[in-house]
mmCIF file of all heavy atoms in Angstrom:
data_model
loop_
_atom_site.group_PDB
_atom_site.id
_atom_site.type_symbol
_atom_site.label_atom_id
_atom_site.label_comp_id
_atom_site.label_asym_id
_atom_site.label_seq_id
_atom_site.Cartn_x
_atom_site.Cartn_y
_atom_site.Cartn_z
ATOM 1 N N SER A 10 5.922 2.919 -0.125
ATOM 2 C CA SER A 10 4.986 1.892 0.319
ATOM 3 C C SER A 10 5.201 1.582 1.790
ATOM 4 O O SER A 10 6.271 1.860 2.360
ATOM 5 C CB SER A 10 5.188 0.611 -0.496
ATOM 6 O OG SER A 10 6.437 0.021 -0.161
ATOM 7 N N ASP A 11 4.192 0.987 2.400
ATOM 8 C CA ASP A 11 4.325 0.579 3.798
ATOM 9 C C ASP A 11 5.444 -0.447 3.940
ATOM 10 O O ASP A 11 6.186 -0.438 4.918
ATOM 11 C CB ASP A 11 3.002 0.047 4.347
ATOM 12 C CG ASP A 11 2.470 -1.161 3.602
ATOM 13 O OD1 ASP A 11 2.617 -1.233 2.358
ATOM 14 O OD2 ASP A 11 1.890 -2.044 4.256
ATOM 15 N N LYS A 12 5.612 -1.297 2.948
ATOM 16 C CA LYS A 12 6.671 -2.310 2.984
ATOM 17 C C LYS A 12 8.055 -1.648 2.986
ATOM 18 O O LYS A 12 8.935 -2.049 3.738
ATOM 19 C CB LYS A 12 6.542 -3.256 1.793
ATOM 20 C CG LYS A 12 7.542 -4.374 1.809
ATOM 21 C CD LYS A 12 7.328 -5.345 0.669
ATOM 22 C CE LYS A 12 8.375 -6.438 0.720
ATOM 23 N NZ LYS A 12 8.188 -7.404 -0.359
ATOM 24 N N ALA A 13 8.242 -0.620 2.171
ATOM 25 C CA ALA A 13 9.523 0.087 2.128
ATOM 26 C C ALA A 13 9.811 0.757 3.466
ATOM 27 O O ALA A 13 10.942 0.729 3.957
ATOM 28 C CB ALA A 13 9.521 1.118 1.007
ATOM 29 N N VAL A 14 8.784 1.339 4.079
ATOM 30 C CA VAL A 14 8.954 1.994 5.380
ATOM 31 C C VAL A 14 9.316 0.954 6.429
ATOM 32 O O VAL A 14 10.242 1.154 7.222
ATOM 33 C CB VAL A 14 7.691 2.786 5.783
ATOM 34 C CG1 VAL A 14 7.800 3.303 7.210
ATOM 35 C CG2 VAL A 14 7.448 3.934 4.811
ATOM 36 N N ARG A 15 8.617 -0.184 6.443
ATOM 37 C CA ARG A 15 8.929 -1.243 7.419
ATOM 38 C C ARG A 15 10.352 -1.757 7.240
ATOM 39 O O ARG A 15 11.073 -1.984 8.214
ATOM 40 C CB ARG A 15 7.942 -2.410 7.279
ATOM 41 C CG ARG A 15 6.652 -2.171 7.958
ATOM 42 C CD ARG A 15 5.778 -3.436 8.006
ATOM 43 N NE ARG A 15 4.467 -3.068 8.456
ATOM 44 C CZ ARG A 15 3.494 -2.632 7.681
ATOM 45 N NH1 ARG A 15 3.676 -2.522 6.387
ATOM 46 N NH2 ARG A 15 2.330 -2.295 8.179
ATOM 47 N N THR A 16 10.749 -1.951 5.995
ATOM 48 C CA THR A 16 12.099 -2.436 5.709
ATOM 49 C C THR A 16 13.144 -1.450 6.219
ATOM 50 O O THR A 16 14.128 -1.834 6.849
ATOM 51 C CB THR A 16 12.282 -2.679 4.201
ATOM 52 O OG1 THR A 16 11.334 -3.670 3.784
ATOM 53 C CG2 THR A 16 13.682 -3.155 3.873
ATOM 54 N N ALA A 17 12.922 -0.158 5.969
ATOM 55 C CA ALA A 17 13.857 0.864 6.452
ATOM 56 C C ALA A 17 13.912 0.870 7.974
ATOM 57 O O ALA A 17 14.991 1.028 8.562
ATOM 58 C CB ALA A 17 13.453 2.240 5.929
ATOM 59 N N CYS A 18 12.771 0.669 8.615
ATOM 60 C CA CYS A 18 12.717 0.696 10.078
ATOM 61 C C CYS A 18 13.451 -0.486 10.688
ATOM 62 O O CYS A 18 14.132 -0.331 11.705
ATOM 63 C CB CYS A 18 11.271 0.702 10.560
ATOM 64 S SG CYS A 18 10.433 2.266 10.228
ATOM 65 N N THR A 19 13.328 -1.643 10.106
ATOM 66 C CA THR A 19 13.975 -2.820 10.673
ATOM 67 C C THR A 19 15.448 -2.884 10.293
ATOM 68 O O THR A 19 16.264 -3.364 11.072
ATOM 69 C CB THR A 19 13.262 -4.114 10.254
ATOM 70 O OG1 THR A 19 13.184 -4.177 8.832
ATOM 71 C CG2 THR A 19 11.871 -4.187 10.835
ATOM 72 N N ALA A 20 15.811 -2.371 9.125
ATOM 73 C CA ALA A 20 17.196 -2.450 8.671
ATOM 74 C C ALA A 20 18.084 -1.365 9.276
ATOM 75 O O ALA A 20 19.241 -1.616 9.605
ATOM 76 C CB ALA A 20 17.250 -2.357 7.146
ATOM 77 N N LYS A 21 17.545 -0.162 9.450
ATOM 78 C CA LYS A 21 18.386 0.961 9.865
ATOM 79 C C LYS A 21 17.976 1.608 11.178
ATOM 80 O O LYS A 21 18.667 2.482 11.672
ATOM 81 C CB LYS A 21 18.415 2.010 8.758
ATOM 82 C CG LYS A 21 18.963 1.417 7.464
ATOM 83 C CD LYS A 21 19.184 2.446 6.411
ATOM 84 C CE LYS A 21 19.682 1.743 5.146
ATOM 85 N NZ LYS A 21 20.227 2.640 4.198
ATOM 86 N N ALA A 22 16.859 1.206 11.740
ATOM 87 C CA ALA A 22 16.364 1.710 13.033
ATOM 88 C C ALA A 22 16.346 3.234 13.148
ATOM 89 O O ALA A 22 16.910 3.792 14.079
ATOM 90 C CB ALA A 22 17.159 1.096 14.174
ATOM 91 N N PRO A 23 15.662 3.921 12.232
ATOM 92 C CA PRO A 23 15.557 5.376 12.358
ATOM 93 C C PRO A 23 14.717 5.745 13.571
ATOM 94 O O PRO A 23 13.850 4.988 13.994
ATOM 95 C CB PRO A 23 14.859 5.788 11.059
ATOM 96 C CG PRO A 23 14.077 4.582 10.673
ATOM 97 C CD PRO A 23 14.890 3.406 11.110
ATOM 98 N N ARG A 24 14.972 6.921 14.135
ATOM 99 C CA ARG A 24 14.245 7.370 15.330
ATOM 100 C C ARG A 24 13.167 8.398 15.012
ATOM 101 O O ARG A 24 12.308 8.654 15.839
ATOM 102 C CB ARG A 24 15.217 7.944 16.341
ATOM 103 C CG ARG A 24 16.141 6.907 16.905
ATOM 104 C CD ARG A 24 17.099 7.542 17.884
ATOM 105 N NE ARG A 24 17.961 6.533 18.449
ATOM 106 C CZ ARG A 24 18.029 6.263 19.727
ATOM 107 N NH1 ARG A 24 17.297 6.932 20.571
ATOM 108 N NH2 ARG A 24 18.830 5.336 20.167
ATOM 109 N N THR A 25 13.238 9.016 13.851
ATOM 110 C CA THR A 25 12.255 10.033 13.481
ATOM 111 C C THR A 25 11.720 9.741 12.082
ATOM 112 O O THR A 25 12.345 9.014 11.309
ATOM 113 C CB THR A 25 12.882 11.444 13.468
ATOM 114 O OG1 THR A 25 13.848 11.513 12.408
ATOM 115 C CG2 THR A 25 13.542 11.780 14.796
ATOM 116 N N THR A 26 10.583 10.350 11.770
ATOM 117 C CA THR A 26 10.040 10.179 10.417
ATOM 118 C C THR A 26 10.994 10.788 9.393
ATOM 119 O O THR A 26 11.144 10.250 8.306
ATOM 120 C CB THR A 26 8.640 10.807 10.284
ATOM 121 O OG1 THR A 26 8.697 12.169 10.677
ATOM 122 C CG2 THR A 26 7.627 10.068 11.129
ATOM 123 N N GLY A 27 11.652 11.883 9.747
ATOM 124 C CA GLY A 27 12.624 12.496 8.843
ATOM 125 C C GLY A 27 13.754 11.539 8.494
ATOM 126 O O GLY A 27 14.226 11.502 7.359
ATOM 127 N N GLN A 28 14.185 10.751 9.472
ATOM 128 C CA GLN A 28 15.226 9.764 9.216
ATOM 129 C C GLN A 28 14.722 8.640 8.322
ATOM 130 O O GLN A 28 15.484 8.105 7.511
ATOM 131 C CB GLN A 28 15.758 9.207 10.539
ATOM 132 C CG GLN A 28 16.577 10.217 11.311
ATOM 133 C CD GLN A 28 16.983 9.715 12.682
ATOM 134 O OE1 GLN A 28 16.422 8.752 13.214
ATOM 135 N NE2 GLN A 28 17.956 10.383 13.288
ATOM 136 N N VAL A 29 13.442 8.288 8.438
ATOM 137 C CA VAL A 29 12.865 7.273 7.549
ATOM 138 C C VAL A 29 12.926 7.772 6.106
ATOM 139 O O VAL A 29 13.368 7.056 5.212
ATOM 140 C CB VAL A 29 11.407 6.922 7.923
ATOM 141 C CG1 VAL A 29 10.768 6.038 6.866
ATOM 142 C CG2 VAL A 29 11.349 6.245 9.274
ATOM 143 N N TYR A 30 12.497 9.019 5.894
ATOM 144 C CA TYR A 30 12.571 9.581 4.547
ATOM 145 C C TYR A 30 14.011 9.532 4.034
ATOM 146 O O TYR A 30 14.266 9.147 2.897
ATOM 147 C CB TYR A 30 12.097 11.038 4.527
ATOM 148 C CG TYR A 30 10.630 11.240 4.774
ATOM 149 C CD1 TYR A 30 10.184 11.875 5.931
ATOM 150 C CD2 TYR A 30 9.686 10.832 3.844
ATOM 151 C CE1 TYR A 30 8.841 12.093 6.162
ATOM 152 C CE2 TYR A 30 8.325 11.044 4.074
ATOM 153 C CZ TYR A 30 7.920 11.670 5.233
ATOM 154 O OH TYR A 30 6.584 11.878 5.454
ATOM 155 N N GLY A 31 14.955 9.923 4.877
ATOM 156 C CA GLY A 31 16.361 9.919 4.488
ATOM 157 C C GLY A 31 16.850 8.525 4.131
ATOM 158 O O GLY A 31 17.583 8.350 3.152
ATOM 159 N N CYS A 32 16.457 7.511 4.908
ATOM 160 C CA CYS A 32 16.836 6.130 4.628
ATOM 161 C C CYS A 32 16.315 5.682 3.264
ATOM 162 O O CYS A 32 16.913 4.833 2.601
ATOM 163 C CB CYS A 32 16.280 5.189 5.693
ATOM 164 S SG CYS A 32 17.056 5.334 7.308
ATOM 165 N N LEU A 33 15.183 6.267 2.869
ATOM 166 C CA LEU A 33 14.559 5.890 1.599
ATOM 167 C C LEU A 33 14.935 6.846 0.465
ATOM 168 O O LEU A 33 14.376 6.780 -0.622
ATOM 169 C CB LEU A 33 13.037 5.831 1.775
ATOM 170 C CG LEU A 33 12.578 4.747 2.758
ATOM 171 C CD1 LEU A 33 11.105 4.886 3.071
ATOM 172 C CD2 LEU A 33 12.885 3.362 2.211
ATOM 173 N N GLY A 34 15.884 7.749 0.733
ATOM 174 C CA GLY A 34 16.417 8.613 -0.315
ATOM 175 C C GLY A 34 15.530 9.778 -0.706
ATOM 176 O O GLY A 34 15.586 10.242 -1.849
ATOM 177 N N CYS A 35 14.703 10.246 0.215
ATOM 178 C CA CYS A 35 13.821 11.368 -0.108
ATOM 179 C C CYS A 35 13.628 12.232 1.132
ATOM 180 O O CYS A 35 14.296 12.029 2.139
ATOM 181 C CB CYS A 35 12.477 10.870 -0.640
ATOM 182 S SG CYS A 35 11.589 9.789 0.494
ATOM 183 N N SER A 36 12.742 13.188 1.054
ATOM 184 C CA SER A 36 12.423 14.039 2.196
ATOM 185 C C SER A 36 10.922 14.279 2.211
ATOM 186 O O SER A 36 10.234 14.077 1.211
ATOM 187 C CB SER A 36 13.173 15.365 2.121
ATOM 188 O OG SER A 36 12.809 16.065 0.957
ATOM 189 N N ALA A 37 10.416 14.725 3.355
ATOM 190 C CA ALA A 37 8.987 15.001 3.483
ATOM 191 C C ALA A 37 8.591 16.114 2.522
ATOM 192 O O ALA A 37 9.330 17.073 2.332
ATOM 193 C CB ALA A 37 8.660 15.406 4.915
ATOM 194 N N GLN A 38 7.422 15.983 1.933
ATOM 195 C CA GLN A 38 6.905 17.008 1.039
ATOM 196 C C GLN A 38 5.713 17.695 1.715
ATOM 197 O O GLN A 38 5.891 18.720 2.328
ATOM 198 C CB GLN A 38 6.511 16.393 -0.310
ATOM 199 C CG GLN A 38 7.663 15.704 -1.028
ATOM 200 C CD GLN A 38 8.765 16.665 -1.415
ATOM 201 O OE1 GLN A 38 8.515 17.752 -1.909
ATOM 202 N NE2 GLN A 38 9.998 16.263 -1.160
ATOM 203 N N CYS A 39 4.542 17.120 1.630
ATOM 204 C CA CYS A 39 3.360 17.760 2.219
ATOM 205 C C CYS A 39 3.172 17.387 3.690
ATOM 206 O O CYS A 39 2.529 18.106 4.434
ATOM 207 C CB CYS A 39 2.104 17.425 1.421
ATOM 208 S SG CYS A 39 1.489 15.744 1.653
ATOM 209 N N GLY A 40 3.707 16.242 4.121
ATOM 210 C CA GLY A 40 3.634 15.837 5.521
ATOM 211 C C GLY A 40 2.403 15.059 5.928
ATOM 212 O O GLY A 40 2.293 14.644 7.082
ATOM 213 N N ARG A 41 1.466 14.836 5.012
ATOM 214 C CA ARG A 41 0.240 14.116 5.384
ATOM 215 C C ARG A 41 0.503 12.685 5.796
ATOM 216 O O ARG A 41 -0.271 12.100 6.545
ATOM 217 C CB ARG A 41 -0.764 14.138 4.232
ATOM 218 C CG ARG A 41 -1.372 15.504 4.003
ATOM 219 C CD ARG A 41 -2.456 15.468 2.968
ATOM 220 N NE ARG A 41 -1.967 14.837 1.746
ATOM 221 C CZ ARG A 41 -2.724 14.491 0.733
ATOM 222 N NH1 ARG A 41 -4.020 14.694 0.777
ATOM 223 N NH2 ARG A 41 -2.208 13.936 -0.335
ATOM 224 N N CYS A 42 1.608 12.109 5.374
ATOM 225 C CA CYS A 42 1.896 10.709 5.680
ATOM 226 C C CYS A 42 2.676 10.531 6.979
ATOM 227 O O CYS A 42 2.887 9.401 7.424
ATOM 228 C CB CYS A 42 2.680 10.078 4.537
ATOM 229 S SG CYS A 42 4.245 10.908 4.220
ATOM 230 N N ALA A 43 3.110 11.605 7.609
ATOM 231 C CA ALA A 43 3.989 11.511 8.781
ATOM 232 C C ALA A 43 3.386 10.662 9.900
ATOM 233 O O ALA A 43 4.081 9.843 10.505
ATOM 234 C CB ALA A 43 4.351 12.895 9.289
ATOM 235 N N ARG A 44 2.115 10.829 10.186
ATOM 236 C CA ARG A 44 1.483 10.030 11.254
ATOM 237 C C ARG A 44 1.450 8.555 10.888
ATOM 238 O O ARG A 44 1.677 7.693 11.736
ATOM 239 C CB ARG A 44 0.070 10.518 11.534
ATOM 240 C CG ARG A 44 0.038 11.809 12.288
ATOM 241 C CD ARG A 44 -1.376 12.191 12.635
ATOM 242 N NE ARG A 44 -1.382 13.483 13.318
ATOM 243 C CZ ARG A 44 -2.463 14.143 13.606
ATOM 244 N NH1 ARG A 44 -3.643 13.661 13.284
ATOM 245 N NH2 ARG A 44 -2.391 15.300 14.218
ATOM 246 N N THR A 45 1.164 8.254 9.641
ATOM 247 C CA THR A 45 1.124 6.861 9.203
ATOM 248 C C THR A 45 2.512 6.245 9.278
ATOM 249 O O THR A 45 2.680 5.111 9.740
ATOM 250 C CB THR A 45 0.577 6.761 7.768
ATOM 251 O OG1 THR A 45 -0.721 7.359 7.729
ATOM 252 C CG2 THR A 45 0.501 5.316 7.302
ATOM 253 N N ILE A 46 3.522 6.989 8.857
ATOM 254 C CA ILE A 46 4.887 6.491 8.928
ATOM 255 C C ILE A 46 5.293 6.277 10.383
ATOM 256 O O ILE A 46 5.908 5.272 10.723
ATOM 257 C CB ILE A 46 5.860 7.431 8.188
ATOM 258 C CG1 ILE A 46 5.604 7.310 6.675
ATOM 259 C CG2 ILE A 46 7.314 7.122 8.532
ATOM 260 C CD1 ILE A 46 6.391 8.264 5.822
ATOM 261 N N ARG A 47 4.911 7.187 11.276
ATOM 262 C CA ARG A 47 5.213 7.026 12.695
ATOM 263 C C ARG A 47 4.559 5.767 13.246
ATOM 264 O O ARG A 47 5.156 5.013 14.018
ATOM 265 C CB ARG A 47 4.719 8.254 13.475
ATOM 266 C CG ARG A 47 5.011 8.201 14.954
ATOM 267 C CD ARG A 47 6.447 8.553 15.199
ATOM 268 N NE ARG A 47 7.116 7.436 15.838
ATOM 269 C CZ ARG A 47 8.397 7.418 16.158
ATOM 270 N NH1 ARG A 47 9.161 8.441 15.881
ATOM 271 N NH2 ARG A 47 8.944 6.388 16.728
ATOM 272 N N LYS A 48 3.326 5.497 12.842
ATOM 273 C CA LYS A 48 2.622 4.299 13.298
ATOM 274 C C LYS A 48 3.336 3.041 12.801
ATOM 275 O O LYS A 48 3.524 2.092 13.553
ATOM 276 C CB LYS A 48 1.175 4.317 12.814
ATOM 277 C CG LYS A 48 0.366 3.155 13.320
ATOM 278 C CD LYS A 48 -1.075 3.247 12.888
ATOM 279 C CE LYS A 48 -1.825 2.014 13.385
ATOM 280 N NZ LYS A 48 -3.170 1.935 12.859
ATOM 281 N N ILE A 49 3.758 3.052 11.544
ATOM 282 C CA ILE A 49 4.495 1.909 10.989
ATOM 283 C C ILE A 49 5.807 1.733 11.741
ATOM 284 O O ILE A 49 6.213 0.604 12.049
ATOM 285 C CB ILE A 49 4.728 2.094 9.475
ATOM 286 C CG1 ILE A 49 3.394 2.020 8.730
ATOM 287 C CG2 ILE A 49 5.705 1.047 8.945
ATOM 288 C CD1 ILE A 49 3.468 2.453 7.281
ATOM 289 N N MET A 50 6.483 2.836 12.056
ATOM 290 C CA MET A 50 7.730 2.762 12.822
ATOM 291 C C MET A 50 7.483 2.097 14.176
ATOM 292 O O MET A 50 8.232 1.207 14.579
ATOM 293 C CB MET A 50 8.301 4.165 13.049
ATOM 294 C CG MET A 50 8.859 4.825 11.819
ATOM 295 S SD MET A 50 9.298 6.555 12.122
ATOM 296 C CE MET A 50 10.629 6.383 13.307
ATOM 297 N N ASP A 51 6.452 2.536 14.880
ATOM 298 C CA ASP A 51 6.134 1.967 16.190
ATOM 299 C C ASP A 51 5.822 0.480 16.079
ATOM 300 O O ASP A 51 6.280 -0.319 16.899
ATOM 301 C CB ASP A 51 4.971 2.712 16.835
ATOM 302 C CG ASP A 51 5.338 4.117 17.284
ATOM 303 O OD1 ASP A 51 6.549 4.412 17.429
ATOM 304 O OD2 ASP A 51 4.415 4.922 17.482
ATOM 305 N N GLU A 52 5.053 0.103 15.065
ATOM 306 C CA GLU A 52 4.719 -1.309 14.867
ATOM 307 C C GLU A 52 5.972 -2.128 14.574
ATOM 308 O O GLU A 52 6.120 -3.244 15.075
ATOM 309 C CB GLU A 52 3.717 -1.461 13.731
ATOM 310 C CG GLU A 52 2.338 -0.948 14.063
ATOM 311 C CD GLU A 52 1.414 -0.882 12.856
ATOM 312 O OE1 GLU A 52 1.863 -1.159 11.717
ATOM 313 O OE2 GLU A 52 0.239 -0.531 13.052
ATOM 314 N N ALA A 53 6.881 -1.580 13.776
ATOM 315 C CA ALA A 53 8.118 -2.288 13.442
ATOM 316 C C ALA A 53 8.991 -2.462 14.681
ATOM 317 O O ALA A 53 9.598 -3.513 14.885
ATOM 318 C CB ALA A 53 8.884 -1.534 12.357
ATOM 319 N N LEU A 54 9.037 -1.440 15.533
ATOM 320 C CA LEU A 54 9.824 -1.540 16.760
ATOM 321 C C LEU A 54 9.239 -2.569 17.709
ATOM 322 O O LEU A 54 9.965 -3.326 18.342
ATOM 323 C CB LEU A 54 9.903 -0.182 17.454
ATOM 324 C CG LEU A 54 10.784 0.851 16.777
ATOM 325 C CD1 LEU A 54 10.625 2.204 17.451
ATOM 326 C CD2 LEU A 54 12.237 0.415 16.816
ATOM 327 N N ILE A 55 7.924 -2.626 17.820
ATOM 328 C CA ILE A 55 7.269 -3.607 18.677
ATOM 329 C C ILE A 55 7.603 -5.009 18.201
ATOM 330 O O ILE A 55 7.930 -5.885 18.992
ATOM 331 C CB ILE A 55 5.738 -3.397 18.706
ATOM 332 C CG1 ILE A 55 5.407 -2.112 19.427
ATOM 333 C CG2 ILE A 55 5.039 -4.572 19.388
ATOM 334 C CD1 ILE A 55 3.966 -1.676 19.257
ATOM 335 N N GLY A 56 7.546 -5.208 16.894
ATOM 336 C CA GLY A 56 7.854 -6.519 16.334
ATOM 337 C C GLY A 56 9.303 -6.915 16.541
ATOM 338 O O GLY A 56 9.626 -8.082 16.710
ATOM 339 N N ALA A 57 10.200 -5.935 16.581
ATOM 340 C CA ALA A 57 11.621 -6.221 16.705
ATOM 341 C C ALA A 57 12.047 -6.499 18.149
ATOM 342 O O ALA A 57 12.873 -7.353 18.397
ATOM 343 C CB ALA A 57 12.437 -5.058 16.152
ATOM 344 N N VAL A 58 11.484 -5.768 19.105
ATOM 345 C CA VAL A 58 11.956 -5.891 20.483
ATOM 346 C C VAL A 58 10.859 -6.242 21.478
ATOM 347 O O VAL A 58 11.134 -6.447 22.642
ATOM 348 C CB VAL A 58 12.657 -4.591 20.953
ATOM 349 C CG1 VAL A 58 13.881 -4.318 20.131
ATOM 350 C CG2 VAL A 58 11.722 -3.417 20.929
#
Side-chain angles (χ1 to χ4, degrees):
S10 69
D11 60 323
K12 184 176 179 179
V14 172
R15 279 190 190 86
T16 299
C18 289
T19 55
K21 301 188 182 194
R24 293 179 178 240
T25 67
T26 55
Q28 289 174 343
V29 171
Y30 291 113
C32 290
L33 296 170
C35 58
S36 61
Q38 301 296 316
C39 74
R41 289 186 307 170
C42 59
R44 286 185 182 172
T45 303
I46 289 175
R47 181 78 241 178
K48 184 177 178 188
I49 293 169
M50 289 172 65
D51 289 341
E52 290 170 356
L54 288 172
I55 291 168
V58 297

